[in-house]
Amino acid sequence: VKSEGPKLVPFFKATCVYFVLWLPTSSPSWFSALIKCLPIFCLWVFLLAHGINFLVSHRSASRILAGLIFSAVGDAFLIWQEQGYFIHGLLMFAITHILYSSAFGMKPLDLKAGLLMGVVSGSCYAFLYSYLSGPFTYLVAVYIALIGFMGWRAVAGVQLCNDLWTWTKLSACVGAMLFMVSDLTIALNKFCFPVPYSRFIIMATYYAAQMLIALSAVETRDEEPFGKRS
């Protein structure tokens, strides 16, 4: 973790710039889109700093980088969500979750974690359902299924009970959970009722989630689980 920290300094600075400027969402512009996307751009640089060979030889890392690229496009679309681009942003983040799920892999399967995430996702959709109408009734269902699946794959990789976890897998797990909190806050605020301090909650959890997921990509194939180290 100490070796990766300095590489994240640009990300932390860009995040501070976003919260300090706190540009009004009522006046979307390319400048506000740049400020919002800048921390994600810094995460691109963070992964690219590990070298092209690293990304080529580690498919999980390259897929997370691809996910970050789609995330930035989604962020830009959401700047103009009131002008009809919300669905475009939703699509970009749906692709992001597919890429992250692929990066996390299907081993171990951990059906118990899958069942738990299924219950959580189903409960969230059941709550939102009465507030949805038109295409959002189906689009939100698909999106919740995708982010729930992504959360399952992140949680399944931790294996706390077997002492086989690594800090990168734990990072992916926490990042996925924060991503779900961020998106749930968006859904509640957009479709159900105003959430106090919604923008701060959404962006703080979102940036933290993306950072942690990006950190999870630096795991090497020969990294030993903590439980097996002596």
Side-chain angles (χ1 to χ4, degrees):
V1 177
K2 291 181 180 179
S3 64
E4 300 299 333
K7 299 174 187 175
L8 287 170
V9 170
F11 165 80
F12 290 121
K13 289 183 177 180
T15 302
C16 289
V17 168
Y18 172 83
F19 284 108
V20 168
L21 292 181
W22 202 244
L23 299 172
T25 56
S26 57
S27 303
S29 66
W30 285 108
F31 180 69
S32 60
L34 173 63
I35 296 302
K36 183 181 181 184
C37 296
L38 192 57
I40 307 302
F41 294 159
C42 291
L43 292 177
W44 298 2
V45 175
F46 167 74
L47 289 180
L48 290 170
H50 290 81
I52 298 300
N53 290 335
F54 171 81
L55 294 173
V56 171
S57 61
H58 294 77
R59 291 184 179 180
S60 60
S62 60
R63 289 168 184 170
I64 287 176
L65 176 60
L68 288 168
I69 292 172
F70 277 99
S71 293
V73 178
D75 281 332
F77 276 129
L78 291 181
I79 287 287
W80 285 277
Q81 61 178 291
E82 299 303 325
Q83 285 71 37
Y85 287 96
F86 181 80
I87 291 179
H88 299 72
L90 197 69
L91 175 60
M92 293 299 103
F93 280 107
I95 295 173
T96 294
H97 296 317
I98 292 172
L99 288 165
Y100 286 170
S101 298
S102 177
F104 299 150
M106 291 301 298
K107 294 181 180 179
L109 194 59
D110 197 345
L111 293 177
K112 290 182 179 179
L115 179 60
L116 176 61
M117 293 306 301
V119 170
V120 171
S121 300
S123 299
C124 290
Y125 182 70
F127 179 83
L128 293 169
Y129 181 78
S130 61
Y131 295 93
L132 303 173
S133 61
F136 284 115
T137 304
Y138 311 102
L139 292 174
V140 171
V142 173
Y143 186 86
I144 288 178
L146 289 175
I147 194 172
F149 185 82
M150 185 272 290
W152 169 32
R153 298 321 311 148
V155 171
V158 178
Q159 300 186 79
L160 288 173
C161 295
N162 297 326
D163 286 335
L164 296 175
W165 61 284
T166 62
W167 71 265
T168 49
K169 293 184 183 299
L170 184 61
S171 178
C173 177
V174 177
M177 296 301 101
L178 288 174
F179 215 134
M180 295 179 73
V181 171
S182 179
D183 281 358
L184 179 59
T185 306
I186 290 176
L188 292 174
N189 192 64
K190 183 173 181 64
F191 299 114
C192 304
F193 47 78
V195 177
Y197 308 106
S198 60
R199 185 181 172 193
F200 177 80
I201 296 170
I202 290 166
M203 297 310 299
T205 53
Y206 170 69
Y207 285 141
Q210 293 284 40
M211 180 197 69
L212 290 169
I213 291 173
L215 269 173
S216 75
V218 303
E219 179 176 23
T220 58
R221 294 183 183 277
D222 59 352
E223 182 177 19
E224 293 184 68
F226 285 155
K228 291 186 177 181
R229 293 178 182 172
S230 57

